Amino acid sequence: MKVIEQALLEKVIIERSRTSHKGDYGRLLLLGGTYPYGGAIIMAALAAVKSGAGLVTVGTDRENIPALHSHLPEAMAFSLQDQQLLKEQLEKAEVVLVGPGLRDDAFGENLVKQVFANLSQNQILIVDGGALTILARTSLSFPSNQLILTPHQKEWEKLSGIAIEKQKEAATASALTSFPQGTILVEKGPATRIWQVGQSDFYQLQVGGPYQATGGTGDTLAGMIAGFVGQFKQASLYERVAVATHLHSAIAQELSQEHYVVLPTGISSYLPKIMKKISQKGT
């Protein structure tokens, strides 16, 4: 087991070049938020933008777009029912996050299948929320992308067949042998673990607590991970995911000193400030 230390944070979160532009910080596509779960994709988009993602586009229900833009005018948005725009955005994206607030129904299943079928190997795919449930239920073949899975304990039970009470280190390590090489797993729980298939060791968080147990926390984490993997390319993909996951809980822990419950949007709001502090320490 490895712990995430300050040196790793400073390796990943670095100061920006004065000559850089938005195209250098990731072109992200976030898909989800089908009725009645529209807030999930909004929270994921907030986290992605606040983490520094250069270009964020959201595919969601058309009725959800005004709410999204009222919270986040920085994001572009289109209706998931618009097949032409969906195809175009899938081709453009460097990072695709599918699943926050995605209903497990025929439409959701078709969307996941379309995403899996149309991405190329050089695109990074993050599977979260409803897309994980669909993946487990339908036994779809894993795509050959750089793949990141972010299940909570019940979703991991569905994906791996390991009952929640038996989700120990050895059981997860064994289950991961059937996943594609290089797959990154963020195994969310009371002591979240971050794995990469092919590596024997894993990171385990030393921060976080029950003040995070509220709806939207996982959606915010998924958005942060998308934002981090779209930038900070001087670090490995695994390191970027680990630092995003750590920082999500570290911020929550800091905010919990004055708050009984830490809202996911509060984590996103605080994110740019703490990233600035880390980037300055690393110089």
Side-chain angles (χ1 to χ4, degrees):
M1 182 190 82
K2 300 183 288 185
V3 298
I4 298 167
E5 298 177 338
Q6 183 68 25
L8 182 58
L9 304 185
E10 293 171 8
K11 177 183 178 181
V12 172
I13 303 170
I14 59 173
E15 286 200 292
R16 293 183 162 191
S17 166
R18 290 183 59 85
T19 59
S20 62
H21 56 82
K22 62 187 177 184
D24 295 324
Y25 299 109
R27 185 182 291 272
L28 276 55
L29 176 61
L30 280 55
L31 303 172
T34 50
Y35 184 82
Y37 307 119
I41 202 71
I42 294 174
M43 286 185 280
L46 275 165
V49 170
K50 295 281 190 178
S51 70
L55 291 160
V56 176
T57 301
V58 177
T60 187
D61 279 349
R62 185 180 298 276
E63 294 79 5
N64 199 36
I65 293 174
L68 168 68
H69 279 159
S70 71
H71 286 280
L72 192 68
E74 294 86 353
M76 296 165 282
F78 68 96
S79 168
L80 281 174
Q81 284 74 24
D82 189 328
Q83 287 294 303
Q84 183 59 37
L85 269 177
L86 176 60
K87 183 175 183 294
E88 291 173 5
Q89 293 300 326
L90 281 171
E91 290 174 354
K92 291 179 181 179
E94 297 168 347
V95 180
V96 176
L97 165 60
V98 58
L102 184 66
R103 284 185 66 173
D104 179 10
D105 57 13
F107 180 85
E109 182 176 332
N110 286 334
L111 176 65
V112 172
K113 288 179 178 177
Q114 189 171 355
V115 170
F116 280 23
N118 285 281
L119 291 186
S120 59
Q121 288 187 348
N122 65 333
Q123 292 171 296
I124 299 168
L125 176 61
I126 306 165
V127 185
D128 181 66
L132 289 167
T133 300
I134 291 167
L135 177 60
R137 176 177 59 75
T138 58
S139 299
L140 288 169
S141 297
F142 289 106
S144 57
N145 302 74
Q146 300 172 83
L147 182 62
I148 301 165
L149 306 173
T150 58
H152 57 54
Q153 289 172 298
K154 192 63 179 177
E155 290 163 342
W156 181 233
E157 181 180 71
K158 293 174 183 176
L159 275 173
S160 67
I162 307 169
I164 291 175
E165 64 274 10
K166 295 182 179 178
Q167 290 175 8
K168 310 299 183 186
E169 297 167 12
T172 292
S174 178
L176 280 174
T177 59
S178 63
F179 287 72
Q181 190 75 8
T183 297
I184 296 170
L185 171 70
V186 179
E187 186 187 4
K188 298 183 292 193
T192 294
R193 296 185 288 250
I194 306 110
W195 305 75
Q196 184 166 37
V197 177
Q199 294 196 21
S200 58
D201 212 347
F202 59 91
Y203 287 108
Q204 182 165 314
L205 297 193
Q206 307 297 305
V207 288
Y211 38 80
Q212 295 172 268
T214 190
T217 298
D219 305 306
T220 294
L221 174 58
M224 282 182 63
I225 290 172
F228 272 59
V229 302
Q231 52 186 321
F232 303 130
K233 295 174 184 176
Q234 78 286 352
S236 72
L237 185 62
Y238 186 38
E239 289 171 330
R240 285 175 262 168
V241 173
V243 168
T245 305
H246 167 86
L247 203 56
H248 175 267
S249 288
I251 290 171
Q253 182 168 293
E254 184 167 336
L255 294 177
S256 75
Q257 302 305 308
E258 296 183 358
H259 299 272
Y260 181 72
V261 175
V262 176
L263 297 184
T265 50
I267 295 173
S268 295
S269 294
Y270 193 66
L271 182 56
K273 183 176 181 179
I274 198 166
M275 290 177 71
K276 178 68 172 178
K277 288 181 179 178
I278 293 167
S279 70
Q280 290 177 326
K281 286 181 181 178
T283 58

